[in-house]
Amino acid sequence: MINIAIMGHGVVGSGVAEVIFSHSDSIEKKAKRKINIKYILDLRDFPNLAYSDRFIKDFSIILNDPDIKVVAEVMGGVNPAFDFVKSCLLAGKSVVTSNKELVAAKGAELLKIAQDNNVNFLFEASVGGGIPVLRPMAQCLNANEITEIYGILNGTTNFILTKMVKENLSFDVALKMAQDLGYAERNPDADVLGHDACRKICILAALGFGKHVYPEQVETEGITKISLDDVDYADKLGYVIKLIGSAKRLDENKISASVYPALVSHNNMLSGVNDVYNAVSVKGDAVDDVMFYGRGAGKFPTASAVVADIIDCVKHLSARKYLSWDEGFDGYVEKLENTPTKLYVHLEKCNERTLDEIKALFDATEILNNGIAKEIVFITKKDIEKALREKIGKITSATVKSVLHVI
Amino acid sequence: MINIAIMGHGVVGSGVAEVIFSHSDSIEKKAKRKINIKYILDLRDFPNLAYSDRFIKDFSIILNDPDIKVVAEVMGGVNPAFDFVKSCLLAGKSVVTSNKELVAAKGAELLKIAQDNNVNFLFEASVGGGIPVLRPMAQCLNANEITEIYGILNGTTNFILTKMVKENLSFDVALKMAQDLGYAERNPDADVLGHDACRKICILAALGFGKHVYPEQVETEGITKISLDDVDYADKLGYVIKLIGSAKRLDENKISASVYPALVSHNNMLSGVNDVYNAVSVKGDAVDDVMFYGRGAGKFPTASAVVADIIDCVKHLSARKYLSWDEGFDGYVEKLENTPTKLYVHLEKCNERTLDEIKALFDATEILNNGIAKEIVFITKKDIEKALREKIGKITSATVKSVLHVI
């Protein structure tokens, strides 16, 4: 038997406890020993649970109990999670977490401490909820140089965009619906402004390319400015608008990494990823594209990924797992304006010169002319973003209503 | 440094050698030691390769060399691969393979031998080429009871069906095109009759549900009878025809497992899997649906999966990996006719009574009436297949042209 502790009894934490209790036989078979939840750390009281006796409020009880070999951190946030996790690793306890904010901010540091103390720090649940992504990337794609990673990394925004696209609801109405269904929080900023997706692409890029990427290095744009007009025009051009986190290896010491709403072609599998589903596409030099798809959040999907990591730690108590990456540095992430892209441009108040201007400036082929509304939308050829934005600034016969990336 | 042998220098085998040579630095970093190809077993001569000196024709050299700790079997076929693999495992060498025929026929036996000899037998490349499927199922979904697995498991047939659906080519023309492109062999039976997909669903079901499933236990139907009429009618009803391998847990000692062409709803992500791409959908009780997608075959995708397994073996020379399942038994796979399904029925030579007959027998709602051709197609409600087939046999006012499953 092995004793573990769970830190946090919120949505994910209670799911972890429930999965361990309800699957105890099969988990024992897979871990080759029984897993016993000895402590659950939470400041709140849960007097009516069958396992109420395991709750504690003092972290030092976990830290100082040599019986505890594996700790699941499912509190969220950087503080005090970081101090707790660091202390556990230094004390020779393996830690698993679903906390993307923590991993994105402190991953390299914690992995180093885990390595120095010959314990494991695993965080499969931090990206894509229950979808296996990090471990397959780290293990199965081992024989590949990973060149690009991109995907739909946030279920809340994908739900909102799906409602806008399929049911023609405005952003505000779709957000309200997401909140009513419990997919979005009362303060939805972390989701709709792209911060959550940003943390996930940081983790994916760090694992894929070997160096830490900090959230503040990633230019991040949310979905709050997406209009139904753009949704409609995109559809007519054969695209759907998705919030895309992406990272690309430029050279050994340079990557691009960003989060923005983008037009995704109907021919791309990502265009079919709807509602709260997530999908991560990974490009390797040998395997080409592979994609991982599933529910990117939710109590039990996320909890099941945490528990799989716990099982892995139990099986590798004296062996280090594969995960690691180096510290990042300033200038590692190239500015978006210096990277190549296609842009979707939405012009209003067009006049009879506008089409000619577009053709002269951009050599664009995907053009939609809504003469009635005096609007024209078009998609540029691929070029360095700064160059494209400069050309857009040169348009004199119309007003720029919106500009979006195209992947 | 660790010495390995590659058995077979065909498409996959030469890919394995190339990946190991071209990625030697990054592989050494990941495996934590250098991997040296000491022998390549092939009956043919390859005098013009940079590594010609490593070729041997006598298997016993590999078997009797205690230096060889890991062997990659990429010859294909059950014989002599089975004898070779078994001998290697018995001699304390870990084996990795891409050979689905071998794993589907002898997986349980070889896993047992590997276990008894404390070595590893890994075969990620046997399903889905380079797409990570087996390891994520076995590890990341550890905290789930897997309830269902289904997918597009054969790239050749998916290419053919895609050409039929998108370009309105007949089966024969699409097959010819696949052969010209090297996707289908001169004798395409293993692909188009469903045998290849059958082997893969056997492996997936064995890993997912814990007991070996033998190919002869799986009712298998290929795509040779699919007509363009059915492709068109399916499209009008909102479906696309795909060759689907599927397996479902019925109870502790019973599963369903089958391979057949089926109508897949446009709302299902699998409907967007085109050309030579594969996708495997796995349903777990906690995580719900997850899907793995990518190129299901091809030299480098498959080779990269073999090499990832080699790296894993090198890192676990003295530790057993997670993979294992028990022997199967007669009666473990339920007959298709006793399982619930929906059926698509295509009737010809219909008369004015036919619609009424359909409605009386099936309570069907998805009906398409092509009065000009005197044809009607419809989709039944879900019921036990035998009961549905009996009702179809009762139709007197028309002739049954084809019947297909619907998922």
Side-chain angles (χ1 to χ4, degrees):
Chain A
M1 193 179 80
I2 186 150
N3 287 300
I4 69 163
I6 301 172
M7 303 197 293
H9 194 261
V11 173
V12 178
S14 60
V16 170
E18 283 178 52
V19 167
I20 290 177
F21 288 126
S22 63
H23 292 64
S24 63
D25 287 351
S26 69
I27 289 173
E28 181 173 350
K29 199 174 158 196
K30 286 159 184 169
K32 288 171 186 157
R33 51 212 289 192
K34 191 171 158 50
I35 293 178
N36 177 54
I37 302 170
K38 190 168 176 183
Y39 307 118
I40 301 174
L41 180 72
D42 204 294
L43 293 179
R44 296 165 295 177
D45 289 310
F46 295 89
N48 299 319
L49 292 174
Y51 50 92
S52 294
D53 55 320
R54 307 182 198 206
F55 280 83
I56 56 169
K57 293 187 168 64
D58 177 4
F59 168 67
S60 69
I61 296 173
I62 294 171
L63 184 65
N64 295 323
D65 186 338
D67 254 16
I68 298 291
K69 303 289 186 201
V70 180
V71 177
E73 184 278 301
V74 283
M75 306 186 295
V78 176
N79 293 307
F82 173 63
D83 285 335
F84 288 5
V85 169
K86 185 174 171 180
S87 304
C88 286
L89 295 172
L90 286 168
K93 303 176 196 299
S94 286
V95 176
V96 312
T97 184
S98 59
N99 186 339
K100 48 207 163 256
E101 203 177 340
L102 176 67
V103 181
K106 303 285 185 181
E109 184 176 349
L110 292 170
L111 282 165
K112 179 75 169 57
I113 296 171
Q115 192 167 5
D116 291 346
N117 289 275
N118 202 34
V119 291
N120 285 300
F121 177 54
L122 303 180
F123 39 84
E124 180 65 63
S126 68
V127 178
I131 314 169
V133 179
L134 301 182
R135 190 176 276 100
M137 267 181 65
Q139 285 195 290
C140 307
L141 303 179
N142 242 337
N144 283 266
E145 296 290 342
I146 292 172
T147 55
E148 190 173 355
I149 305 162
Y150 69 102
I152 295 169
L153 306 175
N154 178 274
T156 307
T157 46
N158 202 44
F159 175 85
I160 292 170
L161 289 172
T162 302
K163 289 289 162 193
M164 292 175 73
V165 171
K166 299 234 169 191
E167 298 175 25
N168 216 35
L169 303 179
S170 71
F171 171 80
D172 291 329
V173 172
L175 169 61
K176 175 75 169 52
M177 187 181 276
Q179 288 174 319
D180 290 346
L181 287 165
Y183 296 148
E185 300 189 40
R186 285 303 117 191
N187 179 348
D189 284 357
D191 290 319
V192 300
L193 298 181
H195 301 317
D196 178 79
C198 171
R199 289 164 194 150
K200 291 168 179 166
I201 197 66
C202 287
I203 298 170
L204 289 165
L207 185 63
F209 307 134
K211 291 188 181 67
H212 199 104
V213 179
Y214 293 91
E216 49 276 23
Q217 293 181 296
V218 178
E219 289 169 70
T220 298
E221 182 188 334
I223 63 164
T224 50
K225 292 177 196 156
I226 301 296
S227 70
L228 283 178
D229 284 349
D230 287 326
V231 167
D232 289 341
Y233 285 133
D235 183 53
K236 291 200 175 78
L237 288 167
Y239 296 83
V240 60
I241 298 176
K242 296 287 186 189
L243 184 67
I244 299 293
S246 64
K248 197 167 181 173
R249 187 194 292 271
L250 300 178
D251 63 43
E252 198 47 50
N253 285 306
K254 201 89 159 178
I255 66 165
S256 64
S258 56
V259 173
Y260 46 61
L263 274 70
V264 177
S265 160
H266 287 153
N267 295 323
N268 187 315
M269 282 287 285
L270 286 185
S271 71
V273 176
N274 288 319
D275 300 319
V276 294
Y277 282 82
N278 283 194
V280 182
S281 186
V282 181
K283 208 182 190 87
D285 63 348
V287 78
D288 203 4
D289 268 320
V290 298
M291 195 183 86
F292 307 94
Y293 164 89
R295 287 182 183 275
K299 177 173 181 164
F300 289 113
T302 308
S304 77
V306 172
V307 175
D309 273 353
I310 293 174
I311 294 172
D312 214 6
C313 282
V314 168
K315 290 171 76 177
H316 290 85
L317 278 186
S318 54
R320 280 273 308 151
K321 297 285 292 183
Y322 42 85
L323 283 172
S324 80
W325 61 68
D326 299 331
E327 273 294 345
F329 53 85
D330 278 354
Y332 175 52
V333 180
E334 181 62 88
K335 279 189 178 171
L336 207 49
E337 63 175 19
N338 295 331
T339 62
T341 188
K342 287 176 167 188
L343 293 176
Y344 157 96
V345 184
H346 177 172
L347 302 177
E348 59 182 358
K349 298 178 191 160
C350 301
N351 66 29
E352 66 288 348
R353 286 192 301 115
T354 309
L355 261 184
D356 290 337
E357 244 194 321
I358 292 168
K359 283 175 185 168
L361 283 164
F362 296 96
D363 188 26
T365 48
E366 297 178 83
I367 301 180
L368 205 73
N369 188 350
N370 183 349
I372 298 162
K374 295 197 174 173
E375 298 195 331
I376 296 177
V377 299
F378 65 97
I379 292 175
T380 70
K381 294 264 168 70
K382 197 176 225 183
D383 200 352
I384 301 298
E385 180 158 343
K386 192 155 82 175
L388 290 174
R389 299 250 179 208
E390 279 168 8
K391 284 185 185 173
I392 293 169
K394 288 182 184 158
I395 297 171
T396 58
S397 64
T399 309
V400 178
K401 192 165 184 195
S402 58
V403 178
L404 293 167
H405 289 84
V406 180
I407 62 160
Chain B
M1 193 180 77
I2 187 151
N3 287 300
I4 70 163
I6 301 172
M7 304 197 294
H9 195 260
V11 173
V12 178
S14 60
V16 170
E18 284 178 51
V19 167
I20 290 176
F21 288 125
S22 64
H23 292 64
S24 62
D25 287 349
S26 70
I27 289 173
E28 181 174 348
K29 197 174 159 197
K30 285 159 182 169
K32 286 169 188 161
R33 50 214 289 192
K34 191 171 159 49
I35 293 179
N36 177 55
I37 302 170
K38 188 168 179 184
Y39 306 119
I40 301 175
L41 180 72
D42 203 295
L43 294 179
R44 296 165 294 177
D45 290 310
F46 296 89
N48 300 319
L49 292 174
Y51 50 93
S52 294
D53 55 318
R54 309 182 197 206
F55 280 84
I56 56 168
K57 294 187 165 65
D58 178 4
F59 167 67
S60 69
I61 296 173
I62 294 170
L63 185 64
N64 296 323
D65 187 340
D67 254 17
I68 299 290
K69 303 289 186 203
V70 179
V71 178
E73 185 278 300
V74 283
M75 306 185 296
V78 175
N79 293 307
F82 173 63
D83 285 336
F84 287 4
V85 170
K86 186 174 169 180
S87 303
C88 285
L89 295 172
L90 286 169
K93 302 176 197 300
S94 286
V95 177
V96 312
T97 184
S98 61
N99 186 337
K100 47 207 164 256
E101 204 176 340
L102 176 67
V103 181
K106 303 285 186 182
E109 185 176 348
L110 291 170
L111 282 165
K112 178 77 168 55
I113 296 170
Q115 190 165 9
D116 291 347
N117 289 275
N118 201 35
V119 291
N120 286 300
F121 177 53
L122 303 180
F123 39 85
E124 179 66 64
S126 67
V127 177
I131 314 169
V133 179
L134 301 181
R135 190 176 276 102
M137 266 180 67
Q139 285 195 291
C140 307
L141 304 179
N142 242 337
N144 284 266
E145 296 290 343
I146 291 172
T147 56
E148 191 174 355
I149 305 162
Y150 70 102
I152 295 169
L153 306 175
N154 179 274
T156 307
T157 46
N158 202 45
F159 175 85
I160 293 170
L161 289 171
T162 301
K163 288 289 163 194
M164 293 175 72
V165 170
K166 300 235 167 188
E167 298 175 24
N168 217 35
L169 303 180
S170 72
F171 171 79
D172 291 328
V173 173
L175 169 59
K176 175 77 169 50
M177 186 180 279
Q179 287 173 321
D180 291 344
L181 288 166
Y183 296 149
E185 300 189 40
R186 286 303 118 189
N187 179 348
D189 285 359
D191 290 319
V192 300
L193 298 180
H195 301 317
D196 177 79
C198 170
R199 289 165 195 148
K200 289 167 179 168
I201 197 67
C202 287
I203 298 170
L204 289 166
L207 185 64
F209 307 136
K211 292 187 181 68
H212 200 102
V213 179
Y214 292 92
E216 50 276 23
Q217 293 180 296
V218 177
E219 289 169 69
T220 299
E221 184 188 334
I223 63 164
T224 52
K225 292 178 195 154
I226 301 297
S227 71
L228 283 178
D229 284 348
D230 287 327
V231 166
D232 288 341
Y233 285 134
D235 182 52
K236 291 200 176 76
L237 287 166
Y239 296 83
V240 60
I241 298 177
K242 295 288 183 189
L243 183 67
I244 299 294
S246 64
K248 197 169 181 171
R249 187 193 291 271
L250 301 177
D251 62 44
E252 197 47 48
N253 285 305
K254 203 91 162 177
I255 66 164
S256 64
S258 56
V259 173
Y260 46 60
L263 275 69
V264 177
S265 161
H266 286 155
N267 296 323
N268 187 317
M269 281 286 285
L270 285 185
S271 70
V273 176
N274 288 320
D275 300 318
V276 295
Y277 282 81
N278 282 196
V280 181
S281 186
V282 180
K283 209 185 186 86
D285 62 348
V287 78
D288 202 2
D289 268 319
V290 297
M291 195 182 87
F292 307 94
Y293 164 87
R295 287 181 183 276
K299 177 174 180 165
F300 289 113
T302 308
S304 77
V306 172
V307 175
D309 274 352
I310 292 173
I311 294 171
D312 215 7
C313 283
V314 169
K315 290 172 75 176
H316 289 85
L317 278 186
S318 54
R320 280 274 306 149
K321 296 285 295 182
Y322 43 83
L323 283 171
S324 80
W325 59 69
D326 299 331
E327 272 295 346
F329 53 85
D330 278 355
Y332 175 52
V333 180
E334 182 62 87
K335 281 188 177 170
L336 208 48
E337 63 174 22
N338 295 331
T339 61
T341 188
K342 286 175 165 188
L343 292 177
Y344 157 96
V345 184
H346 176 173
L347 302 177
E348 59 182 356
K349 298 177 191 160
C350 301
N351 65 28
E352 66 289 348
R353 285 193 300 115
T354 309
L355 262 184
D356 290 336
E357 245 193 320
I358 292 168
K359 283 177 183 164
L361 282 164
F362 296 96
D363 187 25
T365 48
E366 296 177 83
I367 302 180
L368 203 72
N369 189 349
N370 182 349
I372 298 161
K374 294 195 173 175
E375 297 194 334
I376 295 177
V377 299
F378 64 97
I379 292 175
T380 70
K381 294 264 167 72
K382 197 174 224 184
D383 200 353
I384 301 297
E385 178 157 345
K386 193 154 88 176
L388 289 175
R389 299 251 179 207
E390 279 168 5
K391 283 185 185 173
I392 293 169
K394 287 181 184 158
I395 297 170
T396 59
S397 64
T399 309
V400 178
K401 193 165 183 196
S402 58
V403 178
L404 292 167
H405 289 84
V406 181
I407 62 162

